[in-house]
Each structure stands twice: as structure tokens, then as C-alpha cells.
Amino acid sequence: MARTLLERYGTTYAAQAGIRPGNTPQPLYQTLVLAGLLSARIRASVAVAAARALFAAGLRTPRRMADAASQQRVDTLGEGGYRRYDERTATQLGDGARLLLDTYGGDLRRMRDAADGDAGALCGALRRVPGIGPAGASIFLREVQGVWPEFAPYLDAKAVQGAERLGLPGDAGRLARLVAEDDLAAFASALVRAALEASVVDEVRRAAHG
């Protein structure tokens, strides 16, 4: 079941948004932007499309995001179909970028260093960024566990919910042992898709038992 899920839906949301994984400032910042968008009450596909639109417009770093006019951020979010919270989100993106520049020089690796392997400390630091709440912090950690392995395995409540719908263990530690360490981030994203879409559960069950 886990192998079938990974084969069919094992793409991270970051990869879907065109982010190349790496422990460098730009992809880490892009992943944080995506996490904030995904944490809102909208479809994941819309959040991914909005992130792609922001990055295509050149807003890939805290400096570029902070320097962009608020209306540019609003318009770009709209191009990605992200209209429900566009003005508030545009403001948060600007404020968050400025906080990261002022506190960490725009480099999230400094936030990682300060957390010193403590996921709770990192989540607390992330939640101080405007637009990043508990859900956004969890999504970020879920997505970056491949490049920040001290936080792996990171399978949050939404991933565990997907596992339970598939009849897989509801314990993060047992779940993590079902796949290779390098596949954890992709597996976590696949489990989230199972939590969000009943069709994913139905398809994977049919394929696994077929």
C-alpha cells in the first residue's frame, strides 16, 4: 500500500511548485512561501499555482518579495487563482520577507542553526513569520525534511490522517519505516493527498489489492 501510494502520488508540493530542493536560501524561502499559501483554507492546487506565479514573477527571495509593491503581490496571487485572501496574504508576504531579512539576513539556515535540531524551537521561530501559523510551520518541516534530516521523520497530523484512511499505521515512527529515508518528504506529501482526496484512497486501494 505504501509503495503504491509513493509510486502514484509521491511528489512533494515543493516539487509540484517548481522548487528544486536544496539547503540554500532561495529554495528554502520558496518552500516557506508555499507552506504559507498551502496553510490557508483553499485547494492545494490553487496554492501551488499561486506559488508558481509568484516565482515566475521573480519573487523568489525575501529581498525581491520585500521590494515588490503590494499591488504587484496581489496581482500575481490573482494570476495564480489565489483571490480569496489575496490582499491579506500579499501584506503578510511583504512583512514576512522583511522579518526574515532583519532577523536572519534572509537566510532560513540561520533559523535552523538557532533551533539546533529542536523541531519545537524551529516551529516557534517559523510561527513568528507573518502568515505562518501551526499548519504552515508543519507543512514547511514536512517539505524540507529531506534537506534538513535532523527533523526527519516528520509526519504531521494530516499525513497520519491520510495513513489511517489507507489502513496504514497511525503512528509516525511505524509509518516512516515503510519507505526509504530519502523518500520521506514525498511519502508525507502523498499521505496528505490521501487525507485531502477520497479518490486518492480509492485508487491506491484498488491498485494495491489488484
Side-chain angles (χ1 to χ4, degrees), residues 125-140:
L126 288 166
R127 288 169 61 179
R128 286 192 280 276
V129 178
I132 303 295
S138 286
I139 293 166
F140 178 79

Side-chain angles (χ1 to χ4, degrees), residues 74-172:
V74 170
D75 293 344
T76 305
L77 287 167
E79 288 167 16
Y82 198 102
R83 297 185 179 89
R84 186 172 177 186
Y85 305 106
D86 55 356
E87 291 194 11
R88 186 181 73 179
T89 301
T91 299
Q92 290 173 335
L93 286 168
D95 292 345
R98 283 185 283 273
L99 181 143
L100 292 174
L101 288 166
D102 292 345
T103 309
Y104 302 103
D107 188 345
L108 282 162
R109 293 175 301 181
R110 296 181 181 178
M111 184 187 288
R112 175 195 188 184
D113 291 343
D116 196 25
D118 183 336
L122 182 61
C123 281
L126 288 166
R127 288 169 61 179
R128 286 192 280 276
V129 178
I132 303 295
S138 286
I139 293 166
F140 178 79
L141 273 172
R142 202 173 67 212
E143 292 283 321
V144 303
Q145 62 185 306
V147 292
W148 289 1
E150 68 268 33
F151 300 112
Y154 194 89
L155 297 164
D156 60 4
K158 187 63 72 175
V160 170
Q161 181 186 346
E164 290 173 339
R165 288 187 175 183
L166 287 161
L168 293 171
D171 173 76

